[in-house]
Amino acid sequence: MTEQRYEKIGGKMRILYSEDYYNMSRQAANIVSAQIIAKPNSVLGLPTGTSPMGMYKQLIEWYKKGDLSFAKVKTLNLDEYKGFNKNHPNSYFRFMYDNLFKHVNIDLNNVHIPNGLNESIINECEKYNKIIELLGGIDLQILGIGHNGHIGFNEPGESLEKGTHCIKLSQSTKEANKRFFNNIDEMPNYAYTVGIKAILQAKKILMVVNGGDKKHILLDAFFGPITPAIPASILQLHANLVICGDKSSLEMIIDKFPLSVER
Ligand code: F6R
């Protein structure tokens, strides 16, 4: 395991290097599990997607071995497609249920995901912001990163939206996520997402990332300028950010900024 720490502009970032997806997932699961053991009623911010699937699998394994309990854990998912019922096969609720919730002892009353069916966008965003506030914010926010630098569905733009909002999905995001659908026309055009404020206010942030297709965006987001054109770049300001990456996603970073701290 190799680790590198960077400090800049008041932000602190640790990059943890793993040989492959399996080890990256175990490394990330270790951090989540340490959080739950240290604070059993932690509020976890959760992503869907391919990047965290191995991490969820590892957490389930540790739960089944009796090493971990989700009994008091509270979760806030980052996003949900607008117009999808929670039992829709492609809803993010369904993803979370199939990939984590149904396998562990989490209380479904403690699980929060935007309601894609709410007729009123304003009402849904206000409701979700209120839930975040009532839970006292997020202890550990887990994130993936889109090829265009999105976090949650905070897509590149002129400015970053602070609160929960409903966003038109970019073509790049639709292309990337169409693999979960029979065809791209089945994909919704809009999604709810937690805004940048809740993400940045999380006490800790853990990003999981794998694959050579993410190597350019990782370099740009964390070693380039902070800009709404690359929403993840704002994370450079966070005081407790850990990036768990595999060899191929970290390739360009390692090339330019050699990882040096052996553990
Ligand atoms: C999903 C989410 C997105 C994904 C990102 C990467 O809830 O918030 O920001 O994390 O699109 O997706 P994968 O991991 O599938 O490459």
Side-chain angles (χ1 to χ4, degrees):
M1 243 286 301
T2 314
E3 158 173 351
Q4 182 65 295
R5 290 165 195 260
Y6 299 94
E7 284 191 37
K8 45 183 177 180
I9 338 165
K12 283 195 187 146
M13 167 167 79
R14 279 198 302 149
I15 296 182
L16 302 181
Y17 170 93
S18 298
E19 264 310 298
D20 53 26
Y21 180 73
Y22 174 75
N23 284 295
M24 178 280 279
S25 302
R26 271 182 76 92
Q27 178 65 53
N30 259 312
I31 294 172
V32 179
S33 143
Q35 172 70 38
I36 297 173
I37 290 166
K39 187 180 175 198
N41 63 345
S42 287
V43 178
L44 303 181
L46 299 179
T48 61
T50 308
S51 316
M53 283 173 87
M55 179 193 75
Y56 291 143
K57 205 167 155 219
Q58 184 62 71
L59 290 170
I60 293 166
E61 216 176 293
W62 287 335
Y63 161 72
K64 287 192 170 154
K65 273 176 65 192
D67 291 343
L68 200 57
S69 170
F70 290 80
K72 294 182 181 162
V73 167
K74 295 164 193 152
T75 64
L76 274 165
N77 260 83
L78 279 164
D79 33 30
E80 179 59 283
Y81 288 119
K82 177 159 170 35
F84 276 11
N85 170 309
K86 65 192 236 187
N87 291 318
H88 187 288
N90 289 111
S91 77
Y92 281 175
F93 176 84
R94 194 56 194 262
F95 176 99
M96 290 308 306
Y97 189 73
D98 289 344
N99 286 285
L100 180 66
F101 299 155
K102 78 172 175 194
H103 303 284
V104 298
N105 63 336
I106 198 159
D107 177 348
L108 287 180
N109 291 315
N110 287 335
V111 157
H112 305 282
I113 301 188
N115 173 8
L117 282 190
N118 195 335
E119 291 291 322
S120 162
I121 292 177
I122 295 177
N123 175 264
E124 187 53 32
C125 294
E126 279 175 4
K127 260 175 51 188
Y128 211 62
N129 286 335
K130 195 77 201 159
I131 292 173
I132 299 171
E133 196 188 312
L134 288 174
L135 290 177
I138 298 162
D139 291 303
L140 176 64
Q141 176 65 61
I142 304 157
L143 296 170
I145 184 169
H147 295 102
N148 59 3
H150 73 215
I151 44 176
F153 277 138
N154 290 278
E155 295 280 34
E158 305 276 302
S159 61
L160 290 168
E161 284 202 52
K162 293 199 277 295
T164 304
H165 55 285
C166 185
I167 189 127
K168 187 168 181 6
L169 296 171
S170 70
Q171 199 51 37
S172 140
T173 299
K174 290 187 76 174
E175 283 297 329
N177 286 6
K178 71 180 183 197
R179 66 189 192 278
F180 294 112
F181 293 79
N182 292 325
N183 67 66
I184 199 165
D185 299 330
E186 281 182 12
M187 280 194 75
N189 288 318
Y190 292 89
Y192 287 104
T193 181
V194 162
I196 289 298
K197 182 173 156 193
I199 294 176
L200 273 186
Q201 285 184 344
K203 294 188 184 82
K204 296 175 205 152
I205 298 181
L206 166 64
M207 176 171 279
V208 284
V209 56
N210 69 288
D213 53 324
K214 300 272 176 79
K215 66 183 179 189
H216 289 100
I217 195 62
L218 269 191
L219 181 69
D220 292 348
F222 296 105
F223 294 88
I226 296 174
T227 162
I230 302 179
S233 64
I234 192 86
L235 301 176
Q236 291 182 36
L237 298 174
H238 199 274
N240 194 343
L241 165 66
V242 179
I243 300 172
C244 281
D246 74 339
K247 189 180 185 171
S248 39
S249 64
L250 292 176
E251 189 186 310
M252 291 186 80
I253 291 181
I254 294 168
D255 218 35
K256 288 193 190 292
F257 307 94
L259 298 169
S260 58
V261 185
E262 288 290 339
R263 299 206 313 169

